[in-house]
Amino acid sequence: MAKKERLEYLDLVKGFSIILIVLGHIYRRGGLVSKYIYSFHVPIFFIVTGMLLKYKNENNIKKVIINRFKGIMIPYFIFDFFNIIVYLCLNGFTYQNICWNIIYTIILFGRGATWFLPCLFIAEVSFIIIRNVFKNDKVHIMCCLVCFFIPIFITAPNAIIFVLFRSMIAIGFICFGYYIFEKQYYKNYIFIILIILFIVLPKNSDAELYALKFGNVFYI
């Protein structure tokens, strides 16, 4: 099968999102700028992921798992290893520090910014599995919506469920990207959506996927 061309506008979106993530860490003290950035800078990556899944028509579960494990999870374990070494050098090579850092890496909670990698891996693979199980678009969307809303209204009882909840939220955004790319809705309504977000977001409290903080859910 011929290799599909890169979509340059999606590369630009990803680059813009990376800049927002950097700015988000600079403006973490709160305020309107931080609120805007944290409300969408990470979800953009998941939405683009969904759009690319549709564009590339990736439905082979085994192929997706192998490719994503090589491209996402191997870097995750490498980055987390060095992250742990730095942490231990700064905070001491105590038994407690070593154990908890290793445990958090193994359960895919992540150390710092690395949380995003297993979250993306689990969400992407789960989305493809759901898609293969439920061929009907409406049923597929409904399943993804259920995944999306459960973490909003139910508190994670432990770290493992917390990791799963992050990915369940991500599934909702991937689904959104998948279907708006298919229907090309984003070309007609993107500016309307941005205007609505610009008006609504200041009314919401802080939102952050990493910590499963959603602010006032009625403004999301």
Side-chain angles (χ1 to χ4, degrees):
M1 184 171 58
K3 186 177 181 180
K4 292 196 173 184
E5 296 181 1
R6 292 183 67 91
L7 301 179
E8 292 185 1
Y9 67 92
L10 290 184
D11 288 335
L12 290 174
V13 170
K14 288 187 285 186
F16 177 66
S17 301
I18 292 172
I19 294 173
L20 289 179
I21 288 176
V22 174
L23 291 175
H25 284 83
I26 295 174
Y27 292 99
R28 291 203 68 163
R29 297 181 180 179
L32 189 58
V33 173
S34 175
K35 188 178 295 185
Y36 273 119
I37 292 175
Y38 271 84
S39 64
F40 66 86
H41 71 328
V42 171
I44 284 178
F45 280 101
F46 296 120
I47 292 172
V48 170
T49 296
M51 296 172 77
L52 290 173
L53 283 174
K54 183 61 183 178
Y55 177 66
K56 296 177 180 178
N57 194 29
E58 294 188 281
N59 292 308
N60 188 306
I61 298 175
K62 182 179 179 180
K63 184 178 178 180
V64 169
I65 291 175
I66 293 173
N67 290 341
R68 297 307 186 273
F69 189 87
K70 291 179 180 178
I72 297 176
M73 294 310 297
I74 290 179
Y76 162 73
F77 287 113
I78 293 174
F79 288 137
D80 244 26
F81 171 77
F82 287 108
N83 200 353
I84 291 173
I85 296 299
V86 172
Y87 179 88
L88 294 176
C89 288
L90 295 174
N91 297 278
F93 287 79
T94 65
Y95 176 79
Q96 184 176 12
N97 283 344
I98 294 173
C99 283
W100 279 112
N101 275 277
I102 293 176
I103 289 172
Y104 268 51
T105 297
I106 292 174
I107 66 173
L108 308 181
F109 192 90
R111 301 297 303 155
T114 58
W115 72 271
F116 176 80
L117 296 175
C119 178
L120 176 61
F121 175 78
I122 296 171
E124 207 170 347
V125 171
S126 299
F127 179 83
I128 295 298
I129 291 174
I130 296 172
R131 182 61 183 160
N132 277 268
V133 173
F134 302 103
K135 302 294 185 181
N136 182 278
D137 287 350
K138 292 181 180 179
V139 176
H140 180 229
I141 292 172
M142 185 61 64
C143 290
C144 291
L145 286 175
V146 170
C147 289
F148 181 81
F149 282 108
I150 286 176
I152 293 178
F153 296 104
I154 298 177
T155 302
N158 55 59
I160 295 176
I161 302 300
F162 201 95
V163 171
L164 292 176
F165 275 9
R166 285 174 179 165
S167 297
M168 289 168 69
I169 291 291
I171 288 172
F173 288 118
I174 290 174
C175 180
F176 179 74
Y178 186 90
Y179 284 102
I180 65 169
F181 185 84
E182 178 182 30
K183 303 297 183 181
Q184 301 289 298
Y185 287 147
Y186 63 97
K187 292 183 177 180
N188 299 321
Y189 302 115
I190 186 64
F191 291 109
I192 296 176
I193 293 172
L194 289 175
I195 291 172
I196 293 173
L197 290 175
F198 187 81
I199 296 172
V200 171
L201 285 177
K203 299 179 181 294
N204 194 13
S205 54
D206 292 336
E208 184 180 0
L209 180 55
Y210 164 75
L212 291 182
K213 292 171 58 180
F214 307 109
N216 185 338
V217 297
F218 296 104
Y219 287 120
I220 293 180

